[in-house]
Amino acid sequence: MDIQPIRDARPLAVQVYDALYQVITEAGRTAGDTVPTELDLAQQLGVSRRIVRQALTLLEEDGLLSRGQGRRRVVAGLSQPRPDSGPTPIEDMFGHGQGASLTVSRRATTHATRWSGEHLDVPLGTPLRVWQSHLDLDGEPALDALELSHPDWAPIADTGSTSMLQAVDPAIRSQAHYSLVQTGYADSRLDPPPPGARVQGPGVLVLTVVLNHGARPVYLAKYIISARLTPIRLTRR
């Protein structure tokens, strides 16, 4: 990989993530291509192995990298089947009667990163609506969710106790459709974990989804799911 050294004022792990993301998605890399070792990347980028490991963990969480033969990181397959039905909020993913409890920990405006900007087709720095929430099942952490959307996509009924997608008017939500469903697996989460994270390893499943309204991507979510859970449901019954 031809990667330039890190130079700007952003957190180092974010810079390394963006540099690797750009190489993986824009340089013709294909599924199964081997990623250089942490030591090689650290030397190319001029940062510590700890910083490189944080960025690689995020790339695994986002489904861009996976583990290949001998535990080496490889480029993951980016194209996966999409459900034909309408989207399902977090609250409906695990069915009913399982002691589900949702807590919303953050509602704010953020700015598009390379990851969110690529998925939502907006320039870096574009203001986006962001919610973070956590789902417990029978008192145990089951899912951490990061949801982002265009501020002008749909009115949101902010009741304080639902996910962003659940808070969108059902009539508008029913007009959206999946344009991306991407799964990944990470051996562990960041160390230290991101602020507010509840789901921990060993091993987490990662689900990234993008919803389109017409041809326009309007909603992006990343779900970090406890590996102990049974398969989730992405469409309503």
Side-chain angles (χ1 to χ4, degrees):
M1 287 184 173
D2 183 15
I3 311 170
Q4 298 302 311
I6 298 303
R7 304 180 186 281
D8 65 46
R10 295 173 299 157
L12 286 175
V14 173
Q15 296 179 60
V16 173
Y17 175 98
D18 278 357
L20 295 175
Y21 187 103
Q22 184 170 7
V23 170
I24 291 168
T25 58
E26 297 180 7
R29 309 289 292 187
T30 59
D33 283 354
T34 301
V35 176
T37 66
E38 292 177 6
L39 179 59
D40 287 342
L41 289 172
Q43 291 174 342
Q44 285 188 61
L45 295 164
V47 299
S48 70
R49 289 184 65 179
R50 181 180 65 84
I51 294 297
V52 169
R53 190 176 301 118
Q54 289 178 337
L56 291 172
T57 297
L58 284 172
L59 288 163
E60 286 186 47
E61 285 192 1
D62 289 344
L64 273 78
L65 300 181
S66 60
R67 297 286 182 150
Q69 199 170 33
R71 306 295 297 156
R72 285 291 301 273
R73 291 183 177 92
V74 298
V75 176
L78 302 182
S79 179
Q80 298 180 12
R82 302 188 297 270
D84 295 327
S85 305
T88 299
I90 301 167
E91 291 87 338
D92 297 327
M93 284 185 174
F94 297 94
H96 301 283
Q98 295 193 50
S101 173
L102 183 80
T103 302
V104 179
S105 61
R106 180 188 178 206
R107 291 181 178 85
T109 298
T110 189
H111 295 91
T113 62
R114 185 173 298 278
W115 173 74
S116 57
E118 290 277 349
H119 283 306
L120 291 174
D121 195 22
V122 295
L124 288 173
T126 299
L128 297 173
R129 187 164 45 195
V130 58
W131 287 20
Q132 287 180 268
S133 54
H134 317 283
L135 184 75
D136 289 357
L137 293 179
D138 297 325
E140 294 292 329
L143 179 148
D144 291 337
L146 175 70
E147 299 176 281
L148 302 107
S149 70
H150 286 270
D152 61 347
W153 169 40
I156 297 230
D158 188 353
T159 66
S161 59
T162 68
S163 65
M164 180 191 291
L165 193 56
Q166 180 77 2
V168 171
D169 184 289
I172 296 176
R173 188 171 68 231
S174 67
Q175 297 171 15
H177 61 276
Y178 290 104
S179 59
L180 172 75
V181 175
Q182 182 175 297
T183 57
Y185 178 85
D187 285 338
S188 60
R189 301 211 63 183
L190 288 177
D191 184 19
R198 287 176 50 80
V199 176
Q200 300 297 322
V204 291
L205 304 177
V206 186
L207 177 66
T208 303
V209 300
V210 176
L211 298 180
N212 277 26
H213 194 136
R216 178 193 183 201
V218 292
Y219 170 90
L220 167 66
K222 180 166 73 171
Y223 306 122
I224 307 295
I225 305 164
S226 171
R228 67 181 176 83
L229 294 179
T230 55
I232 63 175
R233 186 171 67 241
L234 289 178
T235 56
R236 292 182 180 274
R237 287 176 178 169

